[in-house]
Amino acid sequence: MTAPSTPTDPESLRERALDALTTARDRTALLTSCVEEPELTAQHSPLMSPLVWDLAHIGNQEELWLLRAVAGRDAMRPEIDGLYDAFEHPRAERPSLPLLPPAEARQYASEVRGRALDVLESTAFRGTPLTEAGFAFGMIAQHEQQHDETMLITHQLRRGPAALTAPDPAAGPPFTGPAEVLVPGGPFTMGTSTEPWALDNERPAHRREVPPFFIDTTPVTNAAHQAFIEDGGYDTERWWSPAGWSHIRSHGIGAPLFWRREGGQWLRRHFGVTEVVPPDEPVLHVSWYEADAYARWAGRRLPTEAEWEKAARHDPAADRSTRYPWGDADPTPEHANLGQRHLRPAPAGSYPAGASPLGVRQLIGDVWEWTSSDLHPYPGFAAFPYKEYSEVFFGPEYKVLRGGSFAVDQVACRGTFRNWDYPIRRQIFSGFRTARDGNA
């Protein structure tokens, strides 16, 4: 296990926290300034909040943790706490709440940020678990970036012309490497006890024994998933779990979300633009049930969460776990497709500089990858700083996703980072890769 390549002196920690908070707020501003006020207050899907709710919720969480918990200040607007408590009101109900209008939500979030930066200037980064190494500031930056990803999902769900633009990932030479990689069996260190901004469900580091297995070198592509469709994959019960088969039949699902067949080809709606489905991109907007069925059809399976993390972090030559597949250095644009620099995954096989020591590519960025595992705590787990972040989700209802997507910022994406969702979810930026036993 390695120590993270993160600063420890107060001024460097302050600079790191300021950069993370500023990057997140710039993205929030972009996502909420590119549409008119009626689109900020509208609910574009019952699965999502109005964009204006996310905007004020971001400010409210920053106030709760940086101004009240860290600095001990009085509440600015205690009467709105309940409106922006994610557990008090389901998303479908939020449009009917007396939410702050856009201008007032922006002003509130801006005022909170100004005061939070004053707190940042005076914080000693030691003495309490919340302030140690700037954890609370990192937690809030991650929280805002997670809501930025949620707002980007809302932009994908909204109808109407494109509101966001970004350059496409650079086109490299077609990938010609092996289709799968053998990951040797044996123990490895899973999770972390040293990454200062890691969240509670990533902790603590512990040894995990994993038998040998093969894993896809790249995520499954649109072309590969299209072959599954054309072979009757969505119409053949034997590829599906009972719950998955029931779900797709009752909802009439026959392709990834946003796809449609027209004129002999597959099209998709992508951030307000209709385009031919790009064959070499990782498949996007598929549920766990769809990923699981594809894997069965292909004679394979989804990797377990432990297998995924071993493929992403274990360096067999040094017999240690690294922060990222490529090592301990923070991500750069050469390593991974992160941070909404692009609005789509890069072609499968991209980013050779981000490959693992065994040659597995795109384990970080591009698409969240479904695993076969339910969300459970690690041995020795302790909820911090509140049980609602992770603990209330533990159990068989949620499946784990790993690796991040093009919509994820690097502050909220590590080799240890864990995401989770219901197996029916498809609006998220989810894809997958498959695996098989090493002795098969």
Side-chain angles (χ1 to χ4, degrees), residues 246-264:
S246 174
H247 179 73
I248 68 158
R249 302 313 286 178
S250 62
H251 290 80
I253 294 171
L257 187 60
F258 307 115
W259 285 33
R260 74 175 190 268
R261 186 82 170 165
E262 187 175 298

Side-chain angles (χ1 to χ4, degrees), residues 175 179 215-225 279-284 294 308 345-350 360-370 402 404 430-434:
F175 178 68
I215 193 167
D216 289 340
T217 309
T218 71
V220 170
T221 64
N222 288 321
H225 199 82
D280 57 350
E281 281 186 13
V283 67
L284 193 62
Y294 173 96
W308 188 97
S350 297
V360 187
R361 298 198 182 189
Q362 291 167 286
L363 286 157
I364 298 293
D366 285 305
V367 294
W368 284 107
E369 298 184 15
W370 289 109
R402 300 297 297 263
S430 52
F432 62 101
R433 72 180 74 215
T434 68

Side-chain angles (χ1 to χ4, degrees), residues 99-118:
L99 303 177
L100 300 182
E104 195 172 347
R106 286 194 182 97
Q107 179 60 35
Y108 169 64
S110 177
E111 187 175 349
V112 171
R113 174 53 56 89
R115 298 184 186 189
L117 295 183
D118 290 340

Side-chain angles (χ1 to χ4, degrees), residues 147-368:
H147 276 272
D148 289 340
E149 181 181 7
T150 298
M151 289 194 285
L152 189 62
I153 292 169
T154 301
H155 274 279
Q156 167 63 8
L157 287 163
R158 65 176 281 275
R159 296 289 179 173
L164 296 166
T165 59
D168 288 343
F175 178 68
T176 58
E180 64 179 2
V181 167
L182 174 63
V183 179
F188 84 108
T189 298
M190 187 173 185
T192 180
S193 297
T194 58
E195 187 77 33
W197 289 0
L199 303 173
D200 60 4
N201 61 60
E202 301 170 66
R203 302 172 181 271
H206 58 286
R207 296 292 279 176
R208 186 70 67 92
E209 183 79 26
V210 178
F213 65 98
F214 288 92
I215 193 167
D216 289 340
T217 309
T218 71
V220 170
T221 64
N222 288 321
H225 199 82
Q226 184 176 329
F228 170 61
I229 298 172
E230 303 297 344
D231 195 44
Y234 282 82
D235 299 310
T236 307
E237 183 175 0
R238 66 191 174 108
W239 305 131
W240 298 81
S241 67
W245 182 249
S246 174
H247 179 73
I248 68 158
R249 302 313 286 178
S250 62
H251 290 80
I253 294 171
L257 187 60
F258 307 115
W259 285 33
R260 74 175 190 268
R261 186 82 170 165
E262 187 175 298
Q265 62 184 349
W266 284 103
L267 305 179
R268 72 177 181 187
R269 181 168 58 84
H270 189 70
F271 292 107
V273 175
T274 297
E275 63 183 21
V276 176
V277 172
D280 57 350
E281 281 186 13
V283 67
L284 193 62
H285 297 301
V286 289
S287 67
W288 184 89
Y289 290 136
E290 291 168 280
D292 178 61
Y294 173 96
R296 294 169 192 258
W297 169 80
R300 299 170 68 82
R301 57 178 175 79
L302 295 178
T304 67
E305 184 182 13
E307 287 174 335
W308 188 97
E309 187 167 325
K310 185 169 186 180
R313 297 187 61 217
H314 185 62
D315 182 347
D319 190 25
R320 72 181 185 95
S321 291
T322 55
R323 298 177 71 212
Y324 298 98
W326 55 86
D328 297 326
D330 287 337
T332 70
E334 288 69 44
H335 289 124
N337 181 7
L338 293 167
Q340 202 182 309
R341 290 192 304 271
H342 313 295
L343 288 172
R344 63 176 66 244
S350 297
Y351 304 105
S356 74
L358 294 173
V360 187
R361 298 198 182 189
Q362 291 167 286
L363 286 157
I364 298 293
D366 285 305
V367 294
W368 284 107

Side-chain angles (χ1 to χ4, degrees), residues 379-411:
F381 167 84
F384 176 78
Y386 58 105
K387 68 179 182 179
E388 288 82 7
Y389 180 72
S390 301
E391 186 174 323
V392 297
F393 300 102
F394 292 148
E397 291 187 8
Y398 296 92
K399 293 294 184 180
V400 174
L401 302 103
R402 300 297 297 263
S405 72
F406 65 88
V408 175
D409 186 80
Q410 70 176 60
V411 75

